[in-house]
């Protein structure tokens, strides 16, 4: 289960009155008491998903926005490590190019792996342009080079048992010596979230990492991207193991289509009409995309940017495949179609989105976990080996019960 921890109380006319939900959103719109409620209820939702049998729970990093309020996903992962027992904790991820020095990521993820008993997945996103270039001021033209150097340093720090020096273009360290060491050796599984940049496909395949396509335009557009990824894998001679890929999909479940539309529709429209209300200039700083990716988009080799109209309706989102919704049988059938046609073994579901209240999100989690997931889990498990999943300790320390 993937969670953004969105701010649910933007004004009704937010998208008409304000420039963008990202980067320059007015700070006076944030109510700290509601933030307290949102963080605790969001963690309750993730813990509930883990208790009901989700294989893992996902957190992620964003800045200066109301869309996803986790500037530090590691803080969320730390609380989940103490309050969950079996589920993987997928930190998707730390925007490694934004850390100075990046060795901090190696240290904190090693701490989390020890704390959780070896249940961490390490996500290494390049970072959105809004986050990296505008909120954090990183030069677009050097962002990917910083990213590659940060990944090299972090992985070497986990792999090499002895102290070493690192003399990079952006980071120079006389002593690299990570304490603590991660439980999982040589390091936790690494997943790379992407938005369709073609250079990410080949890089993740060469490195042996999981490529995760995160898109709100839905599985119909997502198929173009995943077809490109698997085409690249075939050209490189990499087997089409579905567990070498992940995909994010919004999914809501009810007892009838009309019930789902009535109860979930307004909250999903809130997300697409307010929380994706991003000034276009913040989405793609010049130099953020490579020339190769821009060419591929122009030639139709990857999914083109979704030209979202000023207002989208529930029906629009259903027609586009942005939302999978319906009865448990219908949602199961649709998600089976997504997994098999996109050849994806790691399916990440958003069960809470936009202004969806806590009680409704908990109901959606319960229905998905109880009536959908058990029928999805066998799809690939007998055909392929998942080499990108955590390897926890056989015996793990449980938190002690505190008494007065």
């Amino acid at each position: 289960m993937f969670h953004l921890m969105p701010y649910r109380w933007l004004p009704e006319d937010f998208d008409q009155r304000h420039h963008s939900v990202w980067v320059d959103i007015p700070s006076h719109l944030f109510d700290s008491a509601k933030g307290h409620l949102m963080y605790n209820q969001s963690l309750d939702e993730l813990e509930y998903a883990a208790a009901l049998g989700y294989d893992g729970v996902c957190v992620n990093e964003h800045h200066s926005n109301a869309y996803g309020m986790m500037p530090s996903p590691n803080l969320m992962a730390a609380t989940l490590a103490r309050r969950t027992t079996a589920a993987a904790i997928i930190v998707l991820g730390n925007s490694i190019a934004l850390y100075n020095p990046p060795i901090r990521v190696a240290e904190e993820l090693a701490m989390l792996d020890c704390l959780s008993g070896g249940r961490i997945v390490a996500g290494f996103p390049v970072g959105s342009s809004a986050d990296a270039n505008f909120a954090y001021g990183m030069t677009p033209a050097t962002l990917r080079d910083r990213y590659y150097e940060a990944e090299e340093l972090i992985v070497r720090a986990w792999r090499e048992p002895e102290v070493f020096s690192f003399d990079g273009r952006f980071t120079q360290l006389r002593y690299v010596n990570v304490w603590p060491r991660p439980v999982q050796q040589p390091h936790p599984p690494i997943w790379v979230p992407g938005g369709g940049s073609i250079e990410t496909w080949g890089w993740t395949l060469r490195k042996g990492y999981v490529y995760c396509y995160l898109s709100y335009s839905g599985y119909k557009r997502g198929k173009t991207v995943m077809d490109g990824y698997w085409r690249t894998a075939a050209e490189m001679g990499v087997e089409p193991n579905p567990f070498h890929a992940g995909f994010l999909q919004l999914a809501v479940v009810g007892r009838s289509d009309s019930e789902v539309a009535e109860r979930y529709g307004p909250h999903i429209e809130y997300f697409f009409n307010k929380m994706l209300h991003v000034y276009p200039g913040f989405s793609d700083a010049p130099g953020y995309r490579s020339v190769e990716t821009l060419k591929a988009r122009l030639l139709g080799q990857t999914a083109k940017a979704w030209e979202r109209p000023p207002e989208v309706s529930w029906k629009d989102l259903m027609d586009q495949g942005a939302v999978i919704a319906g009865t448990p049988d219908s949602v199961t059938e649709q998600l089976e179609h997504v997994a098999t046609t996109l050849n994806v073994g790691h399916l990440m579901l958003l069960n809470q989105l936009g202004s969806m209240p806590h009680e409704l999100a908990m109901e959606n989690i319960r229905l998905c976990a109880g009536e959908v997931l058990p029928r999805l889990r066998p799809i690939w498990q007998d055909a392929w080996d998942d080499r990108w999943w955590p390897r926890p300790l056989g015996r793990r320390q449980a938190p002690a019960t505190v008494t007065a």
Side-chain angles (χ1 to χ4, degrees):
M1 179 185 157
F2 198 101
H3 211 306
L4 291 170
M5 300 192 184
Y7 191 74
R8 308 197 301 263
W9 302 276
L10 293 176
E12 186 174 346
D13 60 352
F14 173 83
D15 46 323
Q16 283 82 46
R17 292 185 55 200
H18 296 284
H19 184 242
S20 179
V21 79
W22 222 309
V23 181
D24 62 357
I25 180 173
S27 60
H28 68 79
L29 295 178
F30 180 74
D31 183 321
S32 299
K34 290 178 178 175
H36 165 77
L37 180 69
M38 178 271 298
Y39 282 123
N40 282 281
Q41 289 184 340
S42 297
L43 287 166
D44 286 345
E45 289 156 13
L46 287 164
E47 291 166 6
Y48 189 53
L52 291 183
Y54 267 81
D55 297 308
V57 290
C58 306
V59 293
N60 63 121
E61 176 178 338
H62 291 298
H63 303 279
S64 303
N65 75 104
Y67 148 94
M69 299 192 61
M70 282 181 276
S72 174
N74 295 345
L75 290 178
M76 300 295 103
T79 67
L80 292 167
R82 287 279 288 178
R83 297 262 296 179
T84 61
T85 56
I89 301 171
I90 300 153
V91 186
L92 202 69
N94 285 276
S95 298
I96 59 177
L98 305 186
Y99 287 76
N100 184 21
I103 200 71
R104 181 64 177 252
V105 176
E107 294 173 325
E108 292 192 5
L109 287 175
M111 285 179 65
L112 289 169
D113 209 40
C114 287
L115 182 61
S116 67
R119 293 186 285 132
I120 293 296
V121 170
F124 287 174
V126 174
S128 74
S129 189
D131 287 325
N133 305 138
F134 293 98
Y136 265 46
M138 286 291 178
T139 303
T142 60
L143 179 65
R144 195 166 285 269
D145 289 339
R146 285 181 178 273
Y147 173 83
Y148 292 145
E149 183 176 292
E151 179 271 343
E152 177 189 356
L153 173 57
I154 293 166
V155 173
R156 278 191 64 190
W158 281 334
R159 284 183 174 273
E160 297 193 15
E162 304 297 332
V163 180
F164 65 91
S165 299
F166 188 85
D167 187 19
R169 176 183 172 192
F170 305 103
T171 300
Q172 300 83 38
L173 293 172
R174 176 66 183 87
Y175 300 101
V176 178
N177 185 21
V178 168
W179 274 68
R181 312 294 294 178
V183 167
Q184 300 178 85
Q185 290 295 318
H187 55 73
I190 295 174
W191 294 12
V192 178
S197 296
I198 63 173
E199 59 268 28
T200 305
W201 299 341
W203 186 78
T204 54
L205 289 163
R206 284 192 298 274
K207 292 284 184 176
Y209 301 156
V210 170
Y211 175 74
C212 301
Y213 183 45
L214 308 184
S215 168
Y216 298 118
S217 54
Y219 67 90
K220 294 179 181 179
R221 293 173 185 264
K223 189 175 188 312
T224 304
V225 172
M226 296 311 300
D227 284 351
Y229 172 72
W230 290 120
R231 187 166 55 248
T232 302
E235 292 167 356
M236 296 174 61
V238 177
E239 66 177 5
N241 186 330
F243 293 109
H244 212 156
F247 186 75
L248 177 69
Q249 180 64 52
L250 170 59
V252 292
V253 183
R255 294 305 174 189
S256 69
D257 290 346
S258 59
E259 177 193 295
V260 168
E262 180 182 351
R263 300 183 71 196
Y264 293 103
H267 306 298
I268 306 305
E269 289 174 350
Y270 172 101
F271 176 79
F272 281 90
N273 292 322
K274 291 183 173 56
M275 312 208 82
L276 296 184
H277 173 64
V278 181
Y279 169 60
F282 293 150
S283 299
D284 259 328
Y288 175 72
R289 303 281 180 193
S290 70
V291 173
E292 291 75 14
T293 292
L294 294 175
K295 283 182 180 178
R297 287 191 173 184
L298 290 171
L299 294 172
Q301 295 169 350
T302 66
K304 294 181 180 179
W306 184 26
E307 296 180 359
R308 187 175 61 86
E311 291 284 333
V312 293
S313 68
W314 172 258
K315 183 179 183 303
D316 296 331
L317 297 169
M318 291 286 288
D319 291 344
Q320 294 158 359
V323 181
I324 285 180
T327 64
D329 288 343
S330 173
V331 169
T332 300
E333 182 180 352
Q334 293 176 75
L335 289 175
E336 285 178 344
H337 177 74
V338 171
T340 54
T341 58
L342 273 61
N343 197 47
V344 167
H346 294 118
L347 192 59
M348 294 168 283
L349 302 183
L350 274 164
N351 286 152
Q352 191 285 337
L353 202 67
S355 58
M356 190 185 300
H358 176 61
E359 294 75 16
L360 186 57
M362 295 289 268
E363 181 178 340
N364 192 32
I365 294 165
R366 178 178 57 79
L367 288 171
C368 270
E371 301 190 36
V372 175
L373 299 191
R375 290 184 279 173
L376 296 177
R377 191 167 281 113
I379 291 175
W380 301 116
Q381 67 182 11
D382 294 330
W384 296 93
D385 179 32
D386 186 355
R387 304 193 300 273
W388 299 273
W389 197 248
R391 302 171 301 279
L393 295 171
R395 296 183 63 184
R396 297 186 293 278
Q397 179 67 37
T401 300
V402 177
T403 57

